[in-house]
Amino acid sequence: MKFSSYRRNGRASYGVVADDGTVDIPDLFSAIGKSALAHDLLSFIEAGSAAVAALEDALAEAVRSGRMAVVPPAEISPLTPLPRPPKMICVGRNYAEHAREAGFEMSSIPIIFPKFSSVLVADGDAILLPKVSEQLDWEGELAVVMGPTPKGQIARADALTYVFGYTVFNDVTIRDYQFRTTQYTAGKNFRTSGPVGPWIVTADEIADPHALRIRTWLNGTVMQDANTAEMFFDVPTIIEHLSEFIDLEAGDIIAMGTPAGVGFKRKPPIFMRHGDVVTVEIESIGRLENRVVGEG
């Protein structure tokens, strides 16, 4: 299934994405005379398998009774799939070709940095070109969404069983702020620097997260074209590593790093400008598109 969050009729809601629209989950349960187990997508993920089973039963009952209602796309305004995830954790230099183009060696230990939830924006939202810099760069990435997770370290062999699903992420970066210190945090956390979405595809629909084509376009020109098979540290390794020192939670988002093809190492460098459109697409997951707007 694909899950999205959105605003409709002046309220935030969430639903299951269908071919012709979205099945609003609170409305679905109301239509069959039941109460939904969760009020938003984060609480749905936190509720685990019980919520998924209840939803599957509700969908089947609505089909049988003819009470299935699909909301057309024109009636909703997209939100990020998880507007306030508990944590947003990013992996740096996780593709060898990207490390080489940036002039770095691969690290034997995953490079980890935070992305704050306040910078996340939805598919179709604007990316602000800040007044203080012209070095606005793109980084298309696979993002992992965690399901209910035990405290303490998670063994690599068990890690994928705790993944709820996958989404598309653009780790928009202000390069001069990223590299003016040894810590990436400032350059990675400008306003609107975290486009994510348009939805979360559940893990059961992705046979192998390490065999997905990932591409980024700038104004229709391909800038990145790679495969998640090229990741140096795979998803189970990253989950195991993070759980050594962080208690992972349902709804945590882990961005798995970007492949080669970013703008700042091109000759000459290419940075995003006002009016540019940047698109990231991952096979079997979806397409994320945002326009750049100069900060007023």
Side-chain angles (χ1 to χ4, degrees):
M1 285 188 282
K2 297 177 183 177
F3 290 91
S4 66
S5 296
Y6 46 85
R7 188 166 292 280
R8 175 183 174 229
N9 297 330
R11 65 176 177 88
S13 193
Y14 71 111
V16 178
V17 179
D19 291 339
D20 53 348
T22 302
V23 178
D24 186 90
I25 292 176
D27 283 359
L28 168 70
F29 277 87
S30 177
I32 62 173
K34 295 181 180 179
S35 298
L37 291 181
H39 66 279
D40 61 13
L41 186 50
L42 178 57
S43 56
F44 179 88
I45 295 172
E46 289 172 336
S49 58
V52 174
L55 174 60
E56 291 173 343
D57 289 345
L59 289 167
E61 183 174 340
V63 169
R64 285 195 303 269
S65 61
R67 286 177 284 181
M68 177 74 76
V70 177
V71 182
E75 293 185 13
I76 64 175
S77 298
L79 299 173
T80 61
L82 294 171
R84 290 285 177 172
K87 291 183 284 297
M88 177 88 200
I89 304 166
C90 299
V91 182
R93 291 187 228 158
N94 198 24
Y95 289 75
E97 284 300 315
H98 173 58
R100 277 193 282 271
E101 74 174 349
F104 296 110
E105 294 182 357
M106 291 300 296
S107 173
S108 61
I109 300 172
I111 297 169
I112 303 299
F113 58 90
K115 199 93 170 181
F116 304 134
S117 62
S118 59
V119 309
L120 300 181
V121 293
D123 177 51
D125 283 351
I127 298 170
L128 293 180
L129 173 63
K131 294 179 181 179
V132 297
S133 177
E134 295 184 347
Q135 296 189 14
L136 184 70
D137 208 347
W138 60 84
E139 292 192 2
E141 305 193 10
L142 171 70
V144 179
V145 180
M146 298 302 296
T149 307
K151 291 185 180 296
Q153 188 167 13
I154 297 168
R156 185 184 184 283
D158 300 328
L160 290 181
T161 64
Y162 298 109
V163 172
F164 176 78
Y166 301 92
T167 190
V168 183
F169 181 61
N170 188 351
D171 185 18
V172 172
T173 304
I174 309 299
R175 294 297 181 191
D176 46 351
Y177 274 72
Q178 178 187 7
F179 294 122
R180 67 181 185 175
T181 72
T182 58
Q183 298 292 324
Y184 289 177
T185 304
K188 295 289 189 176
N189 283 282
F190 270 66
R191 298 173 191 86
T192 72
S193 65
V196 60
W199 43 62
I200 299 168
V201 177
T202 51
D204 61 294
E205 294 198 3
I206 304 298
D208 184 357
H210 312 103
L212 303 173
R213 189 179 186 186
I214 177 171
R215 289 178 288 177
T216 302
W217 292 263
L218 183 65
N219 300 323
T221 299
V222 175
M223 294 294 173
Q224 294 179 293
D225 190 350
N227 194 287
T228 56
E230 301 168 37
M231 291 189 296
F232 189 75
F233 299 106
D234 63 12
V235 174
T237 298
I238 291 298
I239 291 173
E240 180 181 56
H241 173 71
L242 291 172
S243 66
E244 290 178 9
F245 54 92
I246 299 173
D247 283 335
L248 295 172
E249 303 169 79
D252 283 348
I253 300 176
I254 304 169
M256 291 295 299
T258 198
V262 295
F264 83 105
K265 280 298 181 179
R266 292 175 178 265
K267 296 181 181 180
I270 299 174
F271 294 110
M272 295 188 287
R273 302 294 185 221
H274 173 81
D276 284 351
V277 175
V278 60
T279 307
V280 182
E281 182 179 81
I282 301 179
E283 176 186 2
S284 302
I285 298 178
R287 188 179 181 98
L288 173 68
E289 187 166 280
N290 300 86
R291 184 176 294 275
V292 177
V293 176
E295 190 172 34

